[in-house]
Amino acid sequence: MTRYVPRIDTAAVRAIDMHVHVEKDHSGCLSLDSELMDASAAYFRSSDNRTPTVGDLAERYRAAGMAAVVFTVDAATATGHPALSSEDIAAEAAEHADVLIPFGSVDPHRGAAAVEQAQRLVREFGVRGFKFHPSLQAFSPDDETFRPLWAALEELGVPALFHTGQNGIGAGLPGGRGIKLKYSNPLLIDDVAADFPGLTVILAHPSVPWQAEAISMATHKANVFIDLSGWSPKYFPPELVRAAGGMLRRKVLFGSDYPLISPERWIEDFSGLGLSDEVLPGILRGNAIGVLGLG
């Protein structure tokens, strides 16, 4: 096993995509069951490869002149669907360390075992952060049950990226396939950010219908950031556009949510928002360099 060590030329890449999904492993296993995968594809109407592997993502982002944070979501307890291996993702990303940055995923419901896996993923495999999806994983981040996990990530010195707001997964299905939106209210993560001030917290996506809450958190807490993935920027809430171009210009990060939205489409639409040219380099690349410790 080769431990991941980043080899990204941060001066050469034109953007760092903070939110990219590995959807298939080398054995052909998928990150979601077929019903959820098909529903999300219909919701986003992406024309790109819906089930990219690590190798697919490396080839695509290298050709685009970008780097990408890549991950899966371990929601095995909540969904009954076996997760892709974060260990395998990290090991494969090590072969493409010029363009890929692996984040791990652990199932919070596994308690001490999740903590131990997180520690192993950082110390042995070199992952640079962790992705959580409270709605898909069916947990409330402010529940005291999960405090040992947040404490471990704080000690490890890696960021925690949380899905917030509306869910494309389960959209349009009866009952949303049982996926509960309430767990993706960003205010449930405010306790985490407050109680673990050494933990960098990234709120993923425009947090509709709780956008004001997310902006408030990122304004109030130095350790809270927002990634702008999952929506075409032309549909961003106006208050998010104002914040990204002003008081939060150093706290927001480019993310596409690929393969659901292509990074090129995102950047094109974002460039049409009328933000100052002085703001764009930080959002597309500079802020992520700091958050990921790539400087």
Side-chain angles (χ1 to χ4, degrees), residues 137-198:
Q137 293 175 307
F139 80 102
S140 186
D142 64 345
D143 190 316
E144 292 194 1
T145 302
F146 309 112
R147 289 178 65 86
L149 180 55
W150 315 139
L153 299 189
E154 182 180 46
E155 181 181 0
L156 291 165
V158 295
L161 172 66
F162 291 88
H163 173 98
T164 66
Q166 171 72 5
N167 277 279
I169 298 175
L173 297 176
R177 257 287 294 272
I179 294 170
K180 296 177 180 178
L181 298 178
K182 67 179 181 180
Y183 293 135
S184 291
N185 186 327
L187 274 183
L188 297 177
I189 306 163
D190 191 58
D191 282 9
V192 179
D195 294 343
F196 301 93

Side-chain angles (χ1 to χ4, degrees), residues 53-251:
T53 63
V54 171
D56 294 333
L57 295 172
E59 181 178 355
R60 192 205 191 289
Y61 277 84
R62 190 177 289 117
M66 303 181 199
V69 172
V70 298
F71 48 72
T72 189
V73 176
D74 185 343
T77 298
T79 67
H81 184 78
L84 301 185
S85 167
S86 287
E87 289 81 2
D88 287 352
I89 289 171
E92 292 178 50
E95 302 174 8
H96 304 285
D98 58 317
V99 290
L100 299 185
I101 303 151
F103 272 27
S105 181
V106 297
D107 185 341
H109 294 291
R110 296 180 62 236
V115 172
E116 293 170 4
Q117 184 185 12
Q119 292 168 334
R120 186 172 66 254
L121 280 165
V122 173
R123 293 168 179 166
E124 298 181 18
F125 290 85
V127 306
R128 307 288 290 194
F130 286 85
K131 167 64 186 291
F132 298 95
H133 195 309
S135 288
L136 185 63
Q137 293 175 307
F139 80 102
S140 186
D142 64 345
D143 190 316
E144 292 194 1
T145 302
F146 309 112
R147 289 178 65 86
L149 180 55
W150 315 139
L153 299 189
E154 182 180 46
E155 181 181 0
L156 291 165
V158 295
L161 172 66
F162 291 88
H163 173 98
T164 66
Q166 171 72 5
N167 277 279
I169 298 175
L173 297 176
R177 257 287 294 272
I179 294 170
K180 296 177 180 178
L181 298 178
K182 67 179 181 180
Y183 293 135
S184 291
N185 186 327
L187 274 183
L188 297 177
I189 306 163
D190 191 58
D191 282 9
V192 179
D195 294 343
F196 301 93
L199 174 64
T200 296
V201 170
I202 305 170
L203 307 176
H205 316 311
S207 300
V208 175
W210 304 290
Q211 188 59 66
E213 286 90 332
I215 290 172
S216 179
M217 289 170 61
T219 303
H220 185 244
K221 293 178 171 64
N223 56 322
V224 174
F225 295 77
I226 297 173
D227 101 29
L228 300 172
S229 66
W231 291 52
S232 164
K234 63 185 178 182
Y235 300 120
F236 281 1
E239 63 266 40
L240 179 58
V241 176
R242 289 193 297 270
M247 61 184 178
L248 293 184
R249 63 189 181 279
R250 295 184 177 86
K251 302 292 290 291

